[in-house]
Amino acid sequence: MKESILEKIAALVTKGIESEAECIYMLAQIRKYIEQQRIDGYWNLRMCANWTLHSQLNNATVQVFLRELNDFLIDAEVHGEYNLDGHPSLKKKLSFVASLQDELSEFLNAVGVDSTICTDYSAFRRLLGIFGQVIEDTPLVCRPNAPLSHLSEVTFSRRKSIFQNDLYPISLYWRIKNGDKAILLIKSDIRSIPFGPIEVITKTFAFVTNDNGL
């Protein structure tokens, strides 16, 4: 079973992802392997897989994120500002698409599968673009299993990036509700800036409250 799953993953990433169906299948097989082998970590990779397979989610993977986000909202209320720098784990989760490359590469190397799809910019850009098509019309609604003080629901959705030909052509919305009230919209922009032979990845966040038209 273990070898069969890895063989399927290896065949896809070696060939290159060329369709939405292949992207979904690859991520589903990776998630299956991680769960069957009870491997810890890879939060961002797990969430990318979850998003391709679900429109609503309340499993253990997302509960950690929701609690961290609730703590962030409490902190913002106390200090009167939204500051992600004091919440590095949450910041990484909010930009989880940008972390897909590192975690996918780490996973493939750990299981002995060629990770060229992550180091070849054109191959990874194609994978990420196809992933964007998969999630484009499927917001992911996440709810806590137990009541939290500052949120009751978070919806992940893709937004169109204003930047063209990005290595990371996906930006995200995070719509946060508490009860029936929308309390915050977090907008993330993820883009690459070429500097000679390398590309520098930048991640920026904007916070929109009801007072600003949410």
Side-chain angles (χ1 to χ4, degrees):
M1 176 75 73
K2 174 180 174 181
E3 289 72 19
S4 176
I5 294 175
L6 291 181
E7 287 169 2
K8 293 174 182 177
I9 295 170
L12 276 174
V13 299
T14 301
K15 179 185 73 67
I17 303 301
E18 298 177 354
S19 68
E20 292 184 28
E22 288 181 342
C23 178
I24 294 169
Y25 186 75
M26 178 196 73
L27 289 170
Q29 292 299 312
I30 289 173
R31 192 184 73 159
K32 182 189 297 184
Y33 183 86
I34 288 173
E35 290 179 351
Q36 287 184 351
Q37 301 303 312
R38 299 183 180 180
I39 299 172
D40 293 328
Y42 299 112
W43 189 90
N44 302 281
L45 183 54
R46 291 172 191 257
M47 284 303 297
C48 286
N50 282 327
W51 199 345
T52 65
L53 298 168
H54 302 284
S55 60
Q56 297 188 40
L57 196 65
N58 65 352
N59 67 13
T61 301
V62 80
Q63 297 306 311
V64 175
F65 165 78
L66 293 175
R67 289 193 294 270
E68 288 181 354
L69 184 55
N70 192 70
D71 290 342
F72 168 74
L73 295 173
I74 294 172
D75 193 38
E77 184 176 75
V78 171
H79 294 94
E81 65 175 346
Y82 297 107
N83 182 8
L84 279 172
D85 290 336
H87 300 264
S89 175
L90 175 64
K91 187 174 184 179
K92 183 178 179 181
K93 290 180 174 68
L94 286 174
S95 56
F96 75 86
V97 174
S99 303
L100 174 61
Q101 185 176 24
D102 290 339
E103 290 198 4
L104 179 58
S105 178
E106 181 183 342
F107 170 80
L108 295 176
N109 288 328
V111 298
V113 173
D114 183 11
S115 62
T116 302
I117 193 171
C118 300
T119 56
D120 182 319
Y121 281 149
S122 62
F124 187 75
R125 184 182 285 111
R126 181 167 181 78
L127 168 60
L128 194 59
I130 293 171
F131 174 76
Q133 294 170 9
V134 172
I135 65 171
E136 188 167 21
D137 300 315
T138 310
L140 178 63
V141 180
C142 298
R143 297 186 179 96
N145 287 331
L148 295 173
S149 60
H150 283 58
L151 68 87
S152 60
E153 177 182 294
V154 180
T155 301
F156 308 179
S157 58
R158 183 190 179 195
R159 58 190 289 250
K160 297 288 188 180
S161 175
I162 62 174
F163 307 108
Q164 300 298 317
N165 299 318
D166 248 347
L167 174 60
Y168 293 90
I170 297 176
S171 297
L172 303 176
Y173 284 127
W174 311 80
R175 299 181 185 274
I176 304 168
K177 294 177 66 177
N178 195 10
D180 294 329
K181 183 180 180 182
I183 61 169
L184 182 66
L185 172 67
I186 303 176
K187 301 178 180 180
S188 71
D189 273 311
I190 304 163
R191 64 176 301 201
S192 61
I193 304 172
F195 282 95
I198 65 171
E199 296 190 69
V200 176
I201 309 307
T202 65
K203 291 165 280 189
T204 60
F205 299 91
F207 304 94
V208 183
T209 66
N210 285 344
D211 292 337
N212 293 322
L214 175 59

